[in-house]
Amino acid sequence: MTTQFKNALITGGAGFIGSHIADALLAEGCTVTVLDNLSTGRLSNLEHIKDRITFHKGDIQDQEMLAYAAKDCEVIFHLAAVVSVPQTVEHPVDSALVNDIGTLRVFETARKNRVKRVVFSSSCAVYGDDPELPKREVMIPKPLSPYAVQKLTGEFHARLYHDLYGVETVCLRYFNVYGPRQDPSSPYSGVISIFMKKAASKESPFIYGDGTQSRDFVFVKDVVKANLLAASMSQTEGRIFNIGTGRAVTIRHLWEIICTMAGSHIAPAYQPARPGDIRESLADIDQAKALLGFHPDYLFEKGLETTFEWYRKEA
Ligand code: NAD
Ligand code: UD1
């Protein structure tokens, strides 16, 4: 893909998804700046490219720092966020200062510094537990956590900055992202990162509920591709797109595939279902296909193998 821009800022670029966006932008010949406060991100995610990017340790709540980091940028990929749902439940106000006000500051920076486009990382969390499947962008959101409300607020601000100020904003609602560099350290980390770590160290995982609940897992490199398309494609400004695969996998089947990959069959320990756990999640990606030209490249098995190789080396 040839990008339509040369200078990009990634907020949250030391994190799981942001660091992969940095890799892809460098491969496209772009100049990359990262702004990250390293709250959940790690410099080790950028170690291999540290001499080729400009890194600023700073907070998106700091408007001056944002303006400095965004100087000469044509595009901002906005990923910085308090990403843990339980943390936003525990700290609804502090997390809103980052996820709501910080996001607003990113859009304001774009407006003041004439940054052409902002790609905002939203979440399928905005759909809540509405049982209707697959999830389509036109469905009425049902946010069930401060995190989901904050992402939805970010989407409204994105729309406002497009309509009122002409900033080209594009929102991407990621479904369950997985891949190398995802941090498995918390019980609320992505299930694939947790299962990979368990399989690599030949330990038994917990499966909450009966394991028949399902998710639309999307490989991180496909999410990167969606971001690059969202930064470049015309007729996408002011819009929202689901980013998933359109395929769902049960948690029980997920563990079976990982066991086959690892070559050892370990029985999972079943635990009571998590309170509020959503049974099924599946993206309708027709809009992303039609307008972004987004087609996931990674079949689930291929994405899992690439991911397992990484966790095996890390274990
Ligand atoms: P991550 O925790 O690896 O990345 C988030 C990054 O933001 C980290 O590097 C962190 O240090 C940085 N950050 C946090 N607060 C900041 C602040 N105030 N100022 C500057 N930097 C700050 O998580 P991720 O999975 O890479 O998530 C990236 C984005 O994608 C987030 O906005 C998240 O809400 C969204 N998202 C992720 C998923 C998923 O499945 N991983 C799903 C839906 C949406
Ligand atoms: C994901 C998001 C969350 C968001 C929600 C919205 C992540 C990490 N979390 O939650 O921020 O609010 O979508 O829909 O992306 N599981 C196990 N064993 C484990 C870990 C998890 O069985 O060790 C199960 C969970 O109970 C769940 C499924 O695996 O049923 C997926 O869990 P998880 O990866 O945490 O994602 P979501 O629950 O979809």
Side-chain angles (χ1 to χ4, degrees), residues 83-86 123-129 135 145 147-148 174-177 182 186-195 198 205-209 211-217 250-252 254 269-274 276-281:
V83 298
S84 156
V85 175
S123 167
C124 66
V126 300
Y127 292 113
D129 61 0
K135 306 294 184 203
S145 63
Y147 174 80
Y174 309 151
F175 279 63
N176 291 61
V177 189
Q182 190 168 28
S186 138
Y188 290 95
S189 296
V191 64
I192 294 189
S193 68
I194 295 174
F195 280 12
K198 295 283 182 194
F206 289 145
I207 289 187
Y208 300 109
T212 60
Q213 71 271 36
S214 60
R215 295 293 184 271
D216 185 333
F217 293 107
T250 67
I251 300 305
R252 190 188 286 191
L254 167 68
Y270 283 89
Q271 299 286 319
R274 280 178 173 172
D277 207 9
I278 291 162
R279 270 215 61 76
E280 293 172 296
S281 176

Side-chain angles (χ1 to χ4, degrees), residues 140-278:
I140 295 171
K142 207 177 154 199
L144 298 174
S145 63
Y147 174 80
V149 170
Q150 291 156 8
K151 288 294 182 189
L152 198 56
T153 308
E155 291 184 359
F156 279 121
H157 275 130
R159 179 76 208 206
L160 192 70
Y161 268 71
H162 171 259
D163 293 355
L164 203 57
Y165 304 117
V167 180
E168 295 182 4
T169 55
V170 184
C171 301
L172 303 179
R173 287 180 180 165
Y174 309 151
F175 279 63
N176 291 61
V177 189
Y178 71 98
R181 301 182 200 149
Q182 190 168 28
D183 181 4
S185 60
S186 138
Y188 290 95
S189 296
V191 64
I192 294 189
S193 68
I194 295 174
F195 280 12
M196 288 289 172
K197 194 172 170 223
K198 295 283 182 194
S201 50
K202 303 210 184 304
E203 290 172 46
S204 177
F206 289 145
I207 289 187
Y208 300 109
D210 64 3
T212 60
Q213 71 271 36
S214 60
R215 295 293 184 271
D216 185 333
F217 293 107
V218 57
F219 188 56
V220 66
K221 286 202 162 57
D222 281 325
V223 173
V224 170
K225 182 171 138 177
N227 271 272
L228 266 56
L229 288 166
S232 296
M233 297 295 281
S234 55
Q235 315 279 308
T236 57
E237 311 91 83
R239 300 190 75 112
I240 297 168
F241 297 96
N242 285 341
I243 300 301
T245 66
R247 259 186 75 190
V249 177
T250 67
I251 300 305
R252 190 188 286 191
H253 187 48
L254 167 68
W255 177 245
E256 282 164 9
I257 309 175
I258 294 175
C259 281
T260 307
M261 239 167 238
S264 54
H265 281 269
I266 298 166
Y270 283 89
Q271 299 286 319
R274 280 178 173 172
D277 207 9
I278 291 162

Side-chain angles (χ1 to χ4, degrees), residues 18-222:
S19 62
H20 285 279
I21 295 179
D23 289 341
L25 290 175
L26 288 177
E28 293 284 334
C30 292
T31 302
V32 176
T33 303
V34 167
L35 175 64
D36 198 303
N37 69 356
L38 300 178
S39 52
T40 53
R42 286 172 298 188
L43 282 178
S44 59
N45 287 338
L46 298 170
E47 179 62 29
H48 60 295
I49 51 171
K50 66 171 195 255
D51 299 331
R52 299 169 63 204
I53 61 168
T54 303
F55 177 78
H56 299 295
K57 183 168 187 279
D59 202 294
I60 56 164
Q61 295 174 80
D62 180 345
Q63 192 89 54
E64 273 176 32
M65 171 60 99
L66 265 173
Y68 181 64
K71 199 171 171 295
D72 300 327
C73 283
E74 299 145 271
V75 178
I76 301 176
F77 295 91
H78 174 41
L79 292 95
V82 176
V83 298
S84 156
V85 175
Q87 204 178 322
T88 69
V89 172
E90 191 79 13
H91 305 286
V93 177
D94 286 347
S95 59
L97 292 176
V98 177
N99 293 355
D100 282 345
I101 304 298
T103 295
L104 187 55
R105 288 194 186 282
V106 171
F107 294 136
E108 183 64 0
T109 300
R111 177 172 86 98
K112 291 227 169 107
N113 295 270
R114 296 198 167 71
V115 176
K116 197 160 179 276
R117 203 172 265 223
V118 182
V119 181
F120 170 54
S121 289
S122 185
S123 167
C124 66
V126 300
Y127 292 113
D129 61 0
D130 187 332
E132 191 181 327
L133 290 176
K135 306 294 184 203
R136 288 174 296 122
E137 292 88 343
V138 292
M139 286 167 63
I140 295 171
K142 207 177 154 199
L144 298 174
S145 63
Y147 174 80
V149 170
Q150 291 156 8
K151 288 294 182 189
L152 198 56
T153 308
E155 291 184 359
F156 279 121
H157 275 130
R159 179 76 208 206
L160 192 70
Y161 268 71
H162 171 259
D163 293 355
L164 203 57
Y165 304 117
V167 180
E168 295 182 4
T169 55
V170 184
C171 301
L172 303 179
R173 287 180 180 165
Y174 309 151
F175 279 63
N176 291 61
V177 189
Y178 71 98
R181 301 182 200 149
Q182 190 168 28
D183 181 4
S185 60
S186 138
Y188 290 95
S189 296
V191 64
I192 294 189
S193 68
I194 295 174
F195 280 12
M196 288 289 172
K197 194 172 170 223
K198 295 283 182 194
S201 50
K202 303 210 184 304
E203 290 172 46
S204 177
F206 289 145
I207 289 187
Y208 300 109
D210 64 3
T212 60
Q213 71 271 36
S214 60
R215 295 293 184 271
D216 185 333
F217 293 107
V218 57
F219 188 56
V220 66
K221 286 202 162 57
D222 281 325

